Amino acid sequence: MIIMLSMLAAFYLVVIGILYVTQQASRPSFDEYAVGGRSYGPWYVAMSYVNSWWPGSTFIAFFGLAAGAGVFGLYGLAYSTLGVTFMYLMATRAWRWGKRFDLRTQPDLLGMRYRSGGVKLVASIIGVVSLFPWVVLGMQALGNLFEIASDRTWSVTACLLIGLGVIVLRQFWTVKMGMRGLIMTDMFQGLVAYAVAAVVCVVMLTGVGGSPISFGALSRVGEEVLRVPGDGGSYGPMYMFSLIFTGVVGSLCWPTSFQRIYTASGVRAVKAGTLRTMLISGVFYTLLMLVGIAGTTVAEVRAAPQQGWFTLLSQYGGTWALGLAVVIVFAASMGHIDGAVQVCGLQIANDIVNSGRRSFSDLQLTKIAKSSMIVFMALAGVVAYLTFSLDRLQLLAQISYQGIVQLGVPLFLGIFWKGGNKFGAIAGMVSGFLVAGVLTLVYPDDIRVLGSLTGGIIGFVVNLVVFLVVSAATKQTQEDRLRVAELFAMAGRRVPVAAAPAPGVGVAQPAEGLTS
Amino acid sequence: MKAYIRSLPSSAIDLAFGITYGITLLLALFPPLYLAASGSRTSVLGMPFSLSYWILDALLIGLALWAKYAVEDVRGELDEVLDVAATEGSHR
């Protein structure tokens, strides 16, 4: 127990040390606070994106999927790589509009595109509401980690309270430093959570040192492990489609992921960051899933797949390896919670409070964002404590996933298509969110009569139809058509930027014809 | 090679990438395709095809995106323009 707790403490102290060393002496502007002054290079963007994308539950829920159901777990690889590709494709427009109009959040972009405070408000509320259950679950997961680290000698309540205390203390720096604090620690947390985890997986798959699994075990797994849902079993053929489609769309709808575009120093940094994100995600997640699938040959893992990561590491290297497993999950959990708290506080200040009815100074907005983060975090902490033993919270998280993808319709159409208007966007999002929410309450997993489609997909279709019909019925005004045409033309022109402030960031030298 | 890449019309590059992206999306989203690979024990990349199917799909889109980035880099489409006035100001 002492060894594992010491390892956690050492990791935690390094994180706090990084925050202490990298904090700025001067008070940051709201732009620096919100998006780090749009100054970060591709590696920072990538690691921050990966941290916001793979929470600690990846090592529990997704690993459990691979260790319990086999190839099914690889659906996460498909949606993450295909989804990140969307980020690349929308990078130029999203970043240039962000730079020109000083956009800081995803709802900011939607509000600008449709010239509507209502669109911005609805999108922001959907984002904050959808992220809330994940922060609560993340906090509860930390409680579970402390249960393991204490060899289950501490009470469940004590573990939860310690987990909450640790993450709340960490958030002091998130509140104080904003995006900068997040980006700096994401690099270290990401290295531990994903790079170290990938190395551990490779070592185990080689089978050296008495590893309980090996690469060769993949060829000996059971027949059922190689079958995806829909190929026999109780699920219909559309279940895999539903999960991957929702994941692809969701990859840019989560406010935490989208905001990484605005932290980048330029289009090159976003695109290069996207490639690195794909590399890190692809390698890490593939290896993790292969370990999980090979783990189906281990009886103890088969008996409790969700604990499989800890079981395998414990069997492989005893207490030290189990401690490393706990630290890896702790790093991933912390990175995800940090990002969610930061972006929710920011959206509450920037999109909900700062709705245009009255103007706020930079200082006031920063204070509102800080207060919002504290309230959001405290609320999540209280809910985490009160619902620690409730299973239904997982259902809320499922609903939130089906809900967040409803931002996809106005977001993707708004970036890639000149049509549509604010009435269509609001009506589509609200109807899609409601349909997805109600259907997911009735059918938490899938809708069998529809081939195992999920409620989120039905909501998405309703959202799309309502968006198109309402937009066609209410029509774009001539003024709006011209404004949107100018927006798209503007996105084709390069933006003047100062010299690269971060290493590894490409900025073109002034040259003739560059601003065409 | 670089001169050839620079001479290509944007539409040709978009089409080539679009087709590749479309194929990878189909592989992941079209049930008859992924159900055909499901359960296959044929060894590809040293593991059953049922598993390597998803890894190959990810590899294909990863390589296609990397190629698109390299092409855009050669064509000088990735960088913003340097604001000399702002840069000089920021160094004072």
Side-chain angles (χ1 to χ4, degrees), chain A residues 133-185:
Chain A
W134 291 94
V135 175
V136 173
L137 287 173
M139 288 177 165
Q140 292 179 339
L142 287 182
N144 289 328
L145 279 185
F146 277 94
E147 273 188 281
I148 297 171
S150 67
D151 276 340
R152 301 188 192 279
T153 54
W154 293 349
S155 71
V156 171
T157 308
C159 290
L160 178 64
L161 289 175
I162 290 168
L164 283 177
V166 164
I167 200 67
V168 166
L169 186 62
R170 162 67 183 87
Q171 299 314 311
F172 167 78
W173 299 91
T174 303
V175 171
K176 186 180 180 194
M177 294 171 69
M179 183 54 86
R180 181 180 168 80
L182 216 66
I183 300 241
M184 289 300 154
T185 50

Side-chain angles (χ1 to χ4, degrees), chain A residues 289-308:
Chain A
M289 290 302 101
L290 291 182
V291 167
I293 293 167
T296 57
T297 58
V298 177
E300 292 87 343
V301 174
R302 263 205 317 277
Q306 298 223 345
Q307 294 298 310

Side-chain angles (χ1 to χ4, degrees), chain A residues 46-63:
Chain A
M47 209 49 117
S48 190
Y49 189 96
V50 174
N51 264 266
S52 73
W53 191 236
W54 299 116
S57 61
T58 306
F59 294 88
I60 300 167
F62 280 88
F63 190 92

